[in-house]
Amino acid sequence: MAERRLRTAASVAGTVAAVYVSARLLTTLFFWIAAELSGPTSRFGADASISSLEMGWDSQWYWVIADQGYPSTLPVTDAGQVTENAWAFLPLYPWLARALGTVLGGYPAGAIVLALVAGYAASVALFLLLRGRIGETAALWAVVFFANGPLAALFQMGYAESLGLLWLFLALWALVQRRFGWLYLLVVLMGFTRPGVLAFALLLGLYGIFRWFRRRDDPLPVSHIVHIVALGALAVIVGFAWQVIAGIATGDPSAYLETELAWRRSWVGSEEQFMPFIAFFQAAAIWFGLWGLPTALGPVLLVVLIVGAGVLLARSPQVRRLGPEIRLWGVSYLVYLLAVFFPQSSIFRLLLPLTPVAAGVAVPSSRWWRIGILVLCVAGQWVWIHEMLALGDTFFRIP
């Protein structure tokens, strides 16, 4: 039995590795073309290289954290308002990348290798998460789409996304398998890698309610109740811990919130204050105005999209195949985004945690359907790389 499990694990690791490595070779080709196309108006200049593209944009903030740490005094404008600074970024990824970089010859090498390895591990975790629900073939196709997706360039950039997705996929797998003990560690790792652990706290709450109403068909032992409540409390504590740490380190209790608002104020004005569930409606009107469309239509379309997402999560047979945990995660994460995020061009990157829900597109068994989805993924990846890296010259080309 042990030997069979070992062979199965090796087979899964090898198959996913073949998918992942081939995808990374394609992304490297796209990076090379983007570097060649980069011109004097690009953020990266006419002499851009693959290395400079890989360490662009927010990669620089993580590098600052690794080299200099976090500021003890918040930077402010002449008007006294907090400006963009490192407190917006969580510490686990840059700290691990710095440690790895001491072995590999520098922080950039550590950051890229960590992103690459975490992306591969996340691909394996995604396969294991989905295999029991949609079958091995569909799960492998979901990994193909994930590894070649529109945001796949992030697996080769100094960003924390791939590490954050690894923790998330493992946490969802542990929840599905009801291995609650692992979640105590994974919740903490998630909470200090990427924002979003509060969405997982909401997931645990909804999961507990779901299990309670189904307890006659699916027994709910007291031990499970204790774990769900304790893990939900832990996720809430971890979710607010960084705000407390930033406040203590800077002497300003609102340090983290004001730092996050600094990125938003260039869009909505210097008097912007945080109000949950408002930012998406503000942004919808702003974007429609920038596109030359009636601003009143923006919030209307947003409501249509929200209702459509709800119907998809509730009624789509492909999504229902994924199981209640993944569907409840989709609900939780979308509510979290609507509550706290102001959508800019980085919205596509912020949607990556919905990958397990998007795996529903791998369920239909038609070969042409799957090939068509793969073509769309690869095309979307090139468009993203071209816009954000080859051009990278204006506010809507910031990843």
Side-chain angles (χ1 to χ4, degrees):
M1 182 66 70
E3 184 179 349
R4 180 183 300 176
R5 289 179 179 175
L6 186 61
R7 286 200 303 267
T8 301
S11 176
V12 168
T15 302
V16 173
V19 169
Y20 188 74
V21 170
S22 62
R24 300 288 62 77
L25 291 173
L26 179 61
T27 300
T28 301
L29 174 62
F30 286 165
F31 268 110
W32 178 78
I33 297 173
E36 292 296 309
L37 292 176
S38 182
T41 60
S42 167
R43 177 184 177 93
F44 301 95
D47 58 347
S49 64
I50 292 177
S51 297
S52 65
L53 298 184
E54 289 176 332
M55 290 302 297
W57 297 111
D58 285 356
S59 301
Q60 296 292 308
W61 282 112
Y62 288 115
W63 197 349
V64 167
I65 293 167
D67 279 353
Q68 303 174 22
Y70 293 90
S72 57
T73 302
L74 294 172
V76 295
T77 64
D78 293 338
Q81 290 186 319
V82 176
T83 62
E84 294 91 342
N85 66 85
W87 282 108
F89 301 89
L90 293 162
L92 186 56
Y93 173 78
W95 288 354
L96 290 177
R98 181 181 62 185
L100 188 58
T102 60
V103 178
L104 298 177
Y107 177 82
I112 301 306
V113 169
L114 178 57
L116 277 168
V117 172
Y120 166 67
S123 299
V124 174
L126 180 64
F127 177 82
L128 297 176
L129 170 64
L130 298 172
R131 178 176 58 179
R133 296 294 171 83
I134 61 177
E136 289 196 2
T137 301
L140 185 59
W141 272 102
V143 171
V144 171
F145 301 151
F146 175 62
N148 290 278
L151 279 295
L154 293 173
F155 299 140
Q156 294 174 227
M157 296 181 69
Y159 275 62
E161 262 67 18
S162 55
L163 188 63
L165 291 173
L166 170 60
W167 308 141
L168 171 63
F169 297 165
L170 288 174
L172 289 173
W173 175 84
L175 187 63
V176 168
Q177 299 295 322
R178 299 180 182 177
R179 299 188 180 184
F180 297 106
W182 286 103
L183 286 171
Y184 290 94
L185 172 62
L186 290 167
V187 162
V188 175
L189 293 174
M190 280 193 293
F192 289 97
T193 301
R194 287 284 302 149
V197 74
L198 289 175
F200 203 83
L202 177 58
L203 165 63
L204 290 166
L206 295 177
Y207 174 77
I209 294 170
F210 173 81
R211 290 284 307 276
W212 176 261
F213 280 105
R214 288 185 54 84
R215 66 189 184 279
R216 290 185 178 179
D217 300 319
D218 181 9
L220 179 61
V222 173
S223 61
H224 285 197
I225 296 174
V226 171
H227 280 306
I228 293 168
V229 172
L231 286 165
L234 176 63
V236 171
I237 292 169
V238 172
F240 287 103
W242 192 241
Q243 297 184 39
V244 175
I245 292 170
I248 294 172
T250 62
D252 183 350
S254 62
Y256 178 75
L257 181 59
E258 290 299 316
T259 296
E260 289 290 351
L261 289 176
W263 267 271
R264 187 182 301 187
R265 287 189 174 118
S266 60
W267 289 77
V268 296
S270 60
E271 299 304 316
E272 171 67 2
Q273 300 295 321
F274 175 72
M275 291 287 291
F277 297 104
I278 297 298
F280 258 85
F281 292 94
Q282 288 178 317
I286 290 172
W287 278 105
F288 266 59
L290 291 171
W291 294 332
L293 300 172
T295 57
L297 290 180
V300 173
L301 178 60
L302 176 61
V303 171
V304 171
L305 290 174
I306 293 171
V307 172
V311 171
L312 186 70
L313 287 165
R315 306 297 300 174
S316 168
Q318 291 80 19
V319 176
R320 290 175 69 89
R321 283 275 305 277
L322 299 170
E325 297 87 356
I326 291 176
R327 292 166 62 207
L328 290 174
W329 166 249
V331 172
S332 301
Y333 190 71
L334 286 174
V335 169
Y336 168 78
L337 283 185
L338 288 170
V340 306
F341 186 64
F342 182 91
Q344 304 168 30
S345 55
S346 58
I347 182 62
F348 302 106
R349 179 165 55 87
L350 271 292
L351 292 175
L352 269 176
L354 291 173
T355 294
V357 180
V361 300
V363 172
S365 59
S366 166
R367 178 185 302 177
W368 291 111
W369 167 265
R370 287 167 169 167
I371 291 174
I373 295 296
L374 178 58
V375 169
L376 290 176
C377 286
V378 172
Q381 181 182 168
W382 167 245
V383 169
W384 192 89
I385 291 173
H386 179 262
E387 293 294 310
M388 304 298 176
L389 303 180
L391 298 181
D393 55 359
T394 188
F395 67 95
F396 59 82
R397 293 188 174 117
I398 300 175

